[in-house]
Amino acid sequence: MQRFQHYIDGAFSDAEATFQSLDPATGQPWAEMPEAREGDVDRAVTAAHRAFDAPEWAGLTASARGKLLYRLADLIAEAAPRLAELETRDTGKIIRETSAQIAYVAEYYRYYAGLADKIEGAHLPIDKPDMEVWLRREPKGVVAAIVPWNSQLFLSAVKIGPALAAGCTIVVKASEDGPAPLLEFARLVHEAGFPPGVVNILTGFGPRCGAILTAHPLVDHIAFTGGPDAARHVIRNSAENLASASLELGGKSPFIVFADADLESAANAQIAGIFAATGQSCVAGSRLIVAAEVKDRFLALLAKKAEAVAIGTPQDMATEVGPLCTARQRAKIEEVVAASVDAGATLVTGGKTPEGQGFYYPPTILDCSAVPDAPAVGTELFGPVLSVIAFDTEEDAVALANSTQYGLASGVFTRDLARAHRMVRRIKAGIVWINTYRAVSPVAPFGGHGLSGHGREGGIAAVLDYTAVKTVWLRTSDDPIPDPFIMR
Ligand code: NAD
């Protein structure tokens, strides 16, 4: 079995405990992972705290921080094939996706590298004579970053990149499911030459390691991606240190198809929107809301494409849908699909767990038009399951789209430009894709509201989350201060 270590204070070390990681394609253990507990977490946070003020980091210019990030980006681009193999092995995410996504992760680091020396302060036209007032944008301090199992290199890049660009230091907790690529990534951080303690990477279980990390008194900001239940714990834990927090949570995103849409194009986007990453994507377009007059035609197109999807081992470049990351996740999906069918939903395709090893589940489409409150419609399944509801009017489509407590992403397919604009205004979600789906970029903010959280990652503003404003007052008069009892 392969063994992985933590990266704390610039060195690789064993943890207080270990656990085994399973290969989702076989269900068998393949690697031994370090499990951080109280002592490891404390060591990592203390190292990040010390590194924050150390001259090796605090004394660097913003441009020098940017150069380190550029170097890291180059190393990621070089190591992408190796990292992709590891992510595929440890999470079951197909190699086709991990290869492309990790190569693109390098672009995220390049974007933040370029931002490092563009985090500007301001000068205020203050309403008092003989006074200069300006604002400095300073790094917040120690960041605790927590990521879920899917796309750990990508989801950590949108935290590590802006945090380091701003001058913070960071402790990253990889998910206990599939942590290998992030632990391996620590080698690149080391090689890039960041001073010890600036980036620390460990893994461990949420309720223990994650809870200690988010409550730690030396943590200043928490950047969390995961589900709403864990997020509630994070917020409660941070009542201890009162750290600021940004939350990127789940979704149950509507994918709306009007009768005038290019149905072939919409079907391809819907297939990608729900079956890419085997459905384990926070922005999965998991609720198809389709015009009643084209529903049958559209479902026939979708079913044909879903049944043609190549299911196989994640290591095979031809595979389009691989296993789920965990047996636990598959069990949840099986339960909700069965409950929805019992409630009156119709299986259009899929819905049957295959025989054999590995945590596989087929692309599944459930027509819930007769039972719009079926469990599959309201529950984030984080798997390859699409629920379908038909609508009659634009008003109905809006109401159905917004009938969720989540508000992360949405898709609208129509050729009517005026209608597209009306939908943009009325859909409650952080992202609206029109006649496209699942496009992301370091340049574009990403995030939601409601049960989807309240952070924004990507874009220029995201880096400001890692800074605090310091207001500086400078009196420019040499005259003695007049009446000390009057505030001026
Ligand atoms: P999860 O919430 O169970 O776990 C996420 C992370 O939180 C893990 O590292 C886990 O160890 C940690 N954690 C769990 N309990 C904790 C606690 N009490 N204190 C601190 N940390 C704790 O999520 P998951 O099942 O691994 O991932 C799936 C979820 O992530 C889905 O809801 C998905 O939509 C969401 N997600 C959101 C985005 C986004 O950007 N909005 C991206 C990817 C995934």
Side-chain angles (χ1 to χ4, degrees), residues 337-389:
V337 169
S340 302
V341 171
D342 284 350
T346 309
L347 264 176
V348 178
T349 187
K352 194 168 175 300
T353 301
E355 303 279 323
Q357 60 176 16
F359 310 139
Y360 288 88
Y361 194 82
T364 297
I365 301 177
L366 261 181
D367 187 355
C368 302
S369 298
V371 271
D373 56 352
V377 180
T379 315
E380 187 194 29
L381 288 174
F382 221 56
V385 179
L386 177 68
S387 63
V388 182
I389 300 188

Short mmCIF file of all heavy atoms in Angstrom, two decimals, residues 337-389:
data_model
loop_
_atom_site.label_atom_id
_atom_site.label_comp_id
_atom_site.label_asym_id
_atom_site.label_seq_id
_atom_site.Cartn_x
_atom_site.Cartn_y
_atom_site.Cartn_z
N VAL A 337 -33.64 7.37 -4.57
CA VAL A 337 -34.27 6.98 -5.84
C VAL A 337 -35.41 6.00 -5.56
O VAL A 337 -36.53 6.16 -6.09
CB VAL A 337 -33.22 6.38 -6.82
CG1 VAL A 337 -33.91 5.73 -8.01
CG2 VAL A 337 -32.24 7.46 -7.28
N ALA A 338 -35.18 5.03 -4.68
CA ALA A 338 -36.24 4.05 -4.36
C ALA A 338 -37.45 4.77 -3.74
O ALA A 338 -38.60 4.49 -4.11
CB ALA A 338 -35.69 2.99 -3.41
N ALA A 339 -37.20 5.71 -2.83
CA ALA A 339 -38.30 6.43 -2.17
C ALA A 339 -39.08 7.26 -3.20
O ALA A 339 -40.30 7.38 -3.11
CB ALA A 339 -37.75 7.32 -1.06
N SER A 340 -38.37 7.81 -4.20
CA SER A 340 -39.04 8.63 -5.21
C SER A 340 -39.91 7.76 -6.11
O SER A 340 -41.03 8.15 -6.46
CB SER A 340 -38.01 9.40 -6.03
OG SER A 340 -37.23 10.20 -5.18
N VAL A 341 -39.40 6.58 -6.47
CA VAL A 341 -40.19 5.67 -7.30
C VAL A 341 -41.43 5.22 -6.51
O VAL A 341 -42.55 5.21 -7.03
CB VAL A 341 -39.33 4.47 -7.77
CG1 VAL A 341 -40.19 3.41 -8.44
CG2 VAL A 341 -38.23 4.96 -8.72
N ASP A 342 -41.24 4.91 -5.23
CA ASP A 342 -42.39 4.54 -4.38
C ASP A 342 -43.42 5.65 -4.33
O ASP A 342 -44.62 5.40 -4.27
CB ASP A 342 -41.92 4.24 -2.94
CG ASP A 342 -41.23 2.89 -2.85
OD1 ASP A 342 -41.30 2.13 -3.85
OD2 ASP A 342 -40.62 2.60 -1.80
N ALA A 343 -42.93 6.91 -4.37
CA ALA A 343 -43.85 8.05 -4.27
C ALA A 343 -44.59 8.29 -5.58
O ALA A 343 -45.52 9.09 -5.63
CB ALA A 343 -43.07 9.30 -3.86
N GLY A 344 -44.14 7.67 -6.69
CA GLY A 344 -44.86 7.83 -7.96
C GLY A 344 -44.01 8.37 -9.10
O GLY A 344 -44.54 8.60 -10.19
N ALA A 345 -42.72 8.54 -8.88
CA ALA A 345 -41.84 9.00 -9.98
C ALA A 345 -41.61 7.84 -10.95
O ALA A 345 -41.63 6.67 -10.55
CB ALA A 345 -40.51 9.49 -9.43
N THR A 346 -41.37 8.20 -12.24
CA THR A 346 -41.15 7.16 -13.25
C THR A 346 -39.68 7.14 -13.65
O THR A 346 -39.11 8.18 -13.98
CB THR A 346 -41.97 7.51 -14.52
OG1 THR A 346 -43.30 7.76 -14.10
CG2 THR A 346 -41.95 6.38 -15.53
N LEU A 347 -39.11 5.94 -13.64
CA LEU A 347 -37.71 5.82 -14.08
C LEU A 347 -37.66 5.85 -15.61
O LEU A 347 -38.24 4.98 -16.27
CB LEU A 347 -37.13 4.49 -13.61
CG LEU A 347 -36.35 4.49 -12.31
CD1 LEU A 347 -35.94 3.07 -11.95
CD2 LEU A 347 -35.13 5.39 -12.37
N VAL A 348 -36.99 6.84 -16.17
CA VAL A 348 -36.86 6.92 -17.64
C VAL A 348 -35.68 6.05 -18.07
O VAL A 348 -35.74 5.35 -19.08
CB VAL A 348 -36.63 8.38 -18.08
CG1 VAL A 348 -36.45 8.49 -19.59
CG2 VAL A 348 -37.78 9.26 -17.61
N THR A 349 -34.62 6.09 -17.27
CA THR A 349 -33.48 5.20 -17.53
C THR A 349 -32.66 5.08 -16.24
O THR A 349 -32.76 5.93 -15.35
CB THR A 349 -32.60 5.72 -18.68
OG1 THR A 349 -31.61 4.73 -18.98
CG2 THR A 349 -31.89 7.01 -18.34
N GLY A 350 -31.87 4.01 -16.14
CA GLY A 350 -30.98 3.82 -15.00
C GLY A 350 -31.71 3.36 -13.75
O GLY A 350 -32.73 2.67 -13.83
N GLY A 351 -31.14 3.73 -12.58
CA GLY A 351 -31.81 3.43 -11.31
C GLY A 351 -31.52 2.05 -10.75
O GLY A 351 -32.10 1.66 -9.75
N LYS A 352 -30.61 1.31 -11.39
CA LYS A 352 -30.34 -0.04 -10.88
C LYS A 352 -28.84 -0.19 -10.64
O LYS A 352 -28.04 -0.04 -11.58
CB LYS A 352 -30.82 -1.07 -11.92
CG LYS A 352 -30.90 -2.46 -11.37
CD LYS A 352 -31.65 -3.40 -12.33
CE LYS A 352 -31.63 -4.84 -11.86
NZ LYS A 352 -30.31 -5.42 -11.73
N THR A 353 -28.47 -0.47 -9.41
CA THR A 353 -27.05 -0.64 -9.07
C THR A 353 -26.50 -1.88 -9.78
O THR A 353 -27.09 -2.96 -9.67
CB THR A 353 -26.88 -0.80 -7.55
OG1 THR A 353 -27.42 0.36 -6.93
CG2 THR A 353 -25.42 -0.95 -7.15
N PRO A 354 -25.38 -1.73 -10.50
CA PRO A 354 -24.84 -2.91 -11.20
C PRO A 354 -24.21 -3.91 -10.24
O PRO A 354 -23.80 -3.54 -9.14
CB PRO A 354 -23.77 -2.30 -12.12
CG PRO A 354 -23.39 -1.02 -11.48
CD PRO A 354 -24.57 -0.53 -10.69
N GLU A 355 -24.15 -5.15 -10.68
CA GLU A 355 -23.44 -6.18 -9.91
C GLU A 355 -21.95 -5.88 -9.99
O GLU A 355 -21.51 -5.18 -10.88
CB GLU A 355 -23.66 -7.56 -10.57
CG GLU A 355 -25.10 -7.99 -10.73
CD GLU A 355 -25.65 -8.57 -9.44
OE1 GLU A 355 -24.87 -9.26 -8.76
OE2 GLU A 355 -26.83 -8.30 -9.12
N GLY A 356 -21.18 -6.48 -9.10
CA GLY A 356 -19.72 -6.39 -9.22
C GLY A 356 -19.11 -5.41 -8.24
O GLY A 356 -19.80 -4.79 -7.44
N GLN A 357 -17.78 -5.30 -8.34
CA GLN A 357 -17.04 -4.49 -7.36
C GLN A 357 -17.07 -3.01 -7.74
O GLN A 357 -17.38 -2.64 -8.86
CB GLN A 357 -15.61 -4.99 -7.27
CG GLN A 357 -14.86 -4.91 -8.59
CD GLN A 357 -13.41 -5.32 -8.44
OE1 GLN A 357 -13.03 -5.94 -7.46
NE2 GLN A 357 -12.59 -4.98 -9.42
N GLY A 358 -16.73 -2.18 -6.77
CA GLY A 358 -16.67 -0.73 -7.01
C GLY A 358 -18.00 -0.07 -6.70
O GLY A 358 -19.04 -0.73 -6.64
N PHE A 359 -17.93 1.26 -6.53
CA PHE A 359 -19.12 1.99 -6.07
C PHE A 359 -19.86 2.61 -7.27
O PHE A 359 -20.10 3.81 -7.32
CB PHE A 359 -18.72 3.07 -5.07
CG PHE A 359 -17.82 2.56 -3.97
CD1 PHE A 359 -16.74 3.31 -3.51
CD2 PHE A 359 -18.05 1.33 -3.38
CE1 PHE A 359 -15.91 2.84 -2.50
CE2 PHE A 359 -17.23 0.83 -2.36
CZ PHE A 359 -16.15 1.59 -1.93
N TYR A 360 -20.19 1.78 -8.25
CA TYR A 360 -20.82 2.28 -9.48
C TYR A 360 -22.32 2.51 -9.31
O TYR A 360 -22.99 1.78 -8.56
CB TYR A 360 -20.58 1.30 -10.63
CG TYR A 360 -19.15 1.31 -11.12
CD1 TYR A 360 -18.18 0.50 -10.54
CD2 TYR A 360 -18.76 2.17 -12.15
CE1 TYR A 360 -16.86 0.53 -10.97
CE2 TYR A 360 -17.44 2.21 -12.58
CZ TYR A 360 -16.51 1.38 -11.99
OH TYR A 360 -15.20 1.42 -12.41
N TYR A 361 -22.83 3.52 -10.02
CA TYR A 361 -24.28 3.75 -10.11
C TYR A 361 -24.53 4.34 -11.50
O TYR A 361 -23.80 5.24 -11.93
CB TYR A 361 -24.74 4.73 -9.02
CG TYR A 361 -26.25 4.72 -8.86
CD1 TYR A 361 -26.87 3.73 -8.09
CD2 TYR A 361 -27.04 5.66 -9.50
CE1 TYR A 361 -28.26 3.69 -7.98
CE2 TYR A 361 -28.42 5.62 -9.38
CZ TYR A 361 -29.02 4.64 -8.62
OH TYR A 361 -30.39 4.59 -8.52
N PRO A 362 -25.53 3.85 -12.22
CA PRO A 362 -25.66 4.27 -13.62
C PRO A 362 -26.30 5.65 -13.76
O PRO A 362 -27.02 6.10 -12.87
CB PRO A 362 -26.62 3.21 -14.19
CG PRO A 362 -27.46 2.82 -13.01
CD PRO A 362 -26.58 2.90 -11.80
N PRO A 363 -26.09 6.32 -14.92
CA PRO A 363 -26.81 7.55 -15.22
C PRO A 363 -28.31 7.29 -15.13
O PRO A 363 -28.81 6.35 -15.75
CB PRO A 363 -26.38 7.88 -16.65
CG PRO A 363 -25.07 7.20 -16.81
CD PRO A 363 -25.16 5.95 -15.99
N THR A 364 -28.98 8.10 -14.34
CA THR A 364 -30.39 7.82 -14.02
C THR A 364 -31.25 9.06 -14.26
O THR A 364 -30.86 10.17 -13.89
CB THR A 364 -30.48 7.38 -12.53
OG1 THR A 364 -29.76 6.16 -12.39
CG2 THR A 364 -31.91 7.20 -12.07
N ILE A 365 -32.40 8.86 -14.91
CA ILE A 365 -33.34 9.96 -15.13
C ILE A 365 -34.69 9.55 -14.54
O ILE A 365 -35.21 8.48 -14.83
CB ILE A 365 -33.49 10.27 -16.64
CG1 ILE A 365 -32.11 10.63 -17.23
CG2 ILE A 365 -34.49 11.41 -16.85
CD1 ILE A 365 -32.12 10.89 -18.74
N LEU A 366 -35.21 10.43 -13.69
CA LEU A 366 -36.46 10.14 -12.97
C LEU A 366 -37.48 11.20 -13.34
O LEU A 366 -37.26 12.39 -13.03
CB LEU A 366 -36.20 10.30 -11.47
CG LEU A 366 -35.93 9.13 -10.58
CD1 LEU A 366 -35.74 9.62 -9.15
CD2 LEU A 366 -37.06 8.11 -10.63
N ASP A 367 -38.56 10.83 -13.98
CA ASP A 367 -39.60 11.81 -14.30
C ASP A 367 -40.49 12.00 -13.07
O ASP A 367 -41.21 11.08 -12.68
CB ASP A 367 -40.41 11.34 -15.51
CG ASP A 367 -41.36 12.43 -15.97
OD1 ASP A 367 -41.45 13.48 -15.29
OD2 ASP A 367 -42.02 12.23 -17.02
N CYS A 368 -40.40 13.18 -12.49
CA CYS A 368 -41.16 13.45 -11.26
C CYS A 368 -42.30 14.42 -11.53
O CYS A 368 -42.82 15.05 -10.61
CB CYS A 368 -40.23 14.03 -10.19
SG CYS A 368 -38.85 12.97 -9.78
N SER A 369 -42.70 14.57 -12.82
CA SER A 369 -43.74 15.54 -13.17
C SER A 369 -45.03 15.28 -12.39
O SER A 369 -45.73 16.22 -12.01
CB SER A 369 -44.03 15.50 -14.67
OG SER A 369 -42.86 15.84 -15.37
N ALA A 370 -45.34 13.99 -12.13
CA ALA A 370 -46.57 13.67 -11.41
C ALA A 370 -46.42 13.86 -9.90
O ALA A 370 -47.41 13.97 -9.18
CB ALA A 370 -46.97 12.22 -11.71
N VAL A 371 -45.15 13.89 -9.44
CA VAL A 371 -44.90 14.02 -7.98
C VAL A 371 -43.78 15.04 -7.75
O VAL A 371 -42.65 14.68 -7.41
CB VAL A 371 -44.49 12.67 -7.33
CG1 VAL A 371 -45.66 11.90 -6.85
CG2 VAL A 371 -43.61 11.85 -8.26
N PRO A 372 -44.10 16.33 -7.93
CA PRO A 372 -43.03 17.33 -7.84
C PRO A 372 -42.40 17.42 -6.45
O PRO A 372 -41.32 18.03 -6.31
CB PRO A 372 -43.73 18.65 -8.20
CG PRO A 372 -45.16 18.34 -8.46
CD PRO A 372 -45.39 16.89 -8.31
N ASP A 373 -43.04 16.79 -5.44
CA ASP A 373 -42.39 16.82 -4.12
C ASP A 373 -41.69 15.49 -3.80
O ASP A 373 -41.36 15.19 -2.66
CB ASP A 373 -43.41 17.18 -3.03
CG ASP A 373 -44.59 16.19 -3.04
OD1 ASP A 373 -44.67 15.36 -3.98
OD2 ASP A 373 -45.42 16.26 -2.12
N ALA A 374 -41.40 14.69 -4.82
CA ALA A 374 -40.66 13.43 -4.61
C ALA A 374 -39.30 13.76 -3.98
O ALA A 374 -38.71 14.81 -4.28
CB ALA A 374 -40.47 12.71 -5.94
N PRO A 375 -38.77 12.87 -3.11
CA PRO A 375 -37.51 13.17 -2.41
C PRO A 375 -36.36 13.54 -3.36
O PRO A 375 -35.53 14.39 -3.03
CB PRO A 375 -37.19 11.88 -1.65
CG PRO A 375 -38.47 11.13 -1.58
CD PRO A 375 -39.36 11.59 -2.68
N ALA A 376 -36.31 12.93 -4.55
CA ALA A 376 -35.19 13.20 -5.47
C ALA A 376 -35.20 14.64 -5.98
O ALA A 376 -34.17 15.17 -6.39
CB ALA A 376 -35.25 12.25 -6.67
N VAL A 377 -36.35 15.30 -5.94
CA VAL A 377 -36.44 16.68 -6.46
C VAL A 377 -35.83 17.68 -5.47
O VAL A 377 -35.23 18.67 -5.87
CB VAL A 377 -37.92 17.06 -6.75
CG1 VAL A 377 -38.02 18.47 -7.29
CG2 VAL A 377 -38.54 16.06 -7.73
N GLY A 378 -35.98 17.38 -4.18
CA GLY A 378 -35.53 18.36 -3.18
C GLY A 378 -34.19 18.06 -2.55
O GLY A 378 -33.58 18.93 -1.94
N THR A 379 -33.69 16.81 -2.70
CA THR A 379 -32.48 16.41 -1.99
C THR A 379 -31.25 16.52 -2.89
O THR A 379 -31.28 16.02 -4.02
CB THR A 379 -32.59 14.91 -1.56
OG1 THR A 379 -33.88 14.72 -1.01
CG2 THR A 379 -31.53 14.53 -0.56
N GLU A 380 -30.18 17.13 -2.39
CA GLU A 380 -28.95 17.12 -3.17
C GLU A 380 -28.38 15.70 -3.12
O GLU A 380 -28.03 15.21 -2.05
CB GLU A 380 -27.90 18.10 -2.62
CG GLU A 380 -26.71 18.18 -3.56
CD GLU A 380 -25.47 18.85 -2.98
OE1 GLU A 380 -25.26 18.78 -1.75
OE2 GLU A 380 -24.71 19.43 -3.75
N LEU A 381 -28.30 15.03 -4.27
CA LEU A 381 -27.88 13.63 -4.27
C LEU A 381 -26.39 13.47 -4.52
O LEU A 381 -25.79 12.47 -4.17
CB LEU A 381 -28.68 12.84 -5.31
CG LEU A 381 -30.12 12.61 -4.89
CD1 LEU A 381 -30.91 11.95 -6.00
CD2 LEU A 381 -30.17 11.74 -3.64
N PHE A 382 -25.78 14.47 -5.16
CA PHE A 382 -24.35 14.41 -5.43
C PHE A 382 -24.01 13.11 -6.13
O PHE A 382 -23.11 12.37 -5.74
CB PHE A 382 -23.57 14.57 -4.12
CG PHE A 382 -22.36 15.45 -4.29
CD1 PHE A 382 -22.47 16.74 -4.76
CD2 PHE A 382 -21.08 14.99 -3.98
CE1 PHE A 382 -21.37 17.56 -4.93
CE2 PHE A 382 -19.96 15.79 -4.14
CZ PHE A 382 -20.12 17.08 -4.62
N GLY A 383 -24.76 12.85 -7.19
CA GLY A 383 -24.56 11.63 -7.96
C GLY A 383 -25.28 11.77 -9.29
O GLY A 383 -25.93 12.79 -9.56
N PRO A 384 -25.20 10.74 -10.16
CA PRO A 384 -25.71 10.87 -11.54
C PRO A 384 -27.22 10.67 -11.65
O PRO A 384 -27.68 9.78 -12.36
CB PRO A 384 -24.94 9.76 -12.27
CG PRO A 384 -24.73 8.71 -11.23
CD PRO A 384 -24.57 9.42 -9.91
N VAL A 385 -27.99 11.47 -10.94
CA VAL A 385 -29.44 11.30 -10.93
C VAL A 385 -30.11 12.63 -11.29
O VAL A 385 -29.92 13.63 -10.60
CB VAL A 385 -29.94 10.83 -9.55
CG1 VAL A 385 -31.46 10.68 -9.57
CG2 VAL A 385 -29.28 9.51 -9.17
N LEU A 386 -30.88 12.60 -12.37
CA LEU A 386 -31.59 13.79 -12.83
C LEU A 386 -33.07 13.64 -12.52
O LEU A 386 -33.68 12.65 -12.90
CB LEU A 386 -31.39 13.93 -14.35
CG LEU A 386 -32.12 15.09 -15.01
CD1 LEU A 386 -31.54 16.44 -14.56
CD2 LEU A 386 -32.03 14.98 -16.53
N SER A 387 -33.64 14.63 -11.83
CA SER A 387 -35.10 14.61 -11.67
C SER A 387 -35.70 15.58 -12.67
O SER A 387 -35.10 16.59 -13.01
CB SER A 387 -35.50 14.94 -10.23
OG SER A 387 -35.09 16.24 -9.91
N VAL A 388 -36.89 15.24 -13.16
CA VAL A 388 -37.51 16.01 -14.25
C VAL A 388 -38.89 16.49 -13.82
O VAL A 388 -39.67 15.71 -13.25
CB VAL A 388 -37.67 15.10 -15.50
CG1 VAL A 388 -38.27 15.89 -16.66
CG2 VAL A 388 -36.35 14.46 -15.89
N ILE A 389 -39.18 17.76 -14.12
CA ILE A 389 -40.54 18.28 -13.90
C ILE A 389 -40.93 19.10 -15.13
O ILE A 389 -40.11 19.89 -15.63
CB ILE A 389 -40.61 19.17 -12.64
CG1 ILE A 389 -40.19 18.36 -11.42
CG2 ILE A 389 -42.01 19.73 -12.44
CD1 ILE A 389 -40.39 19.06 -10.11
#
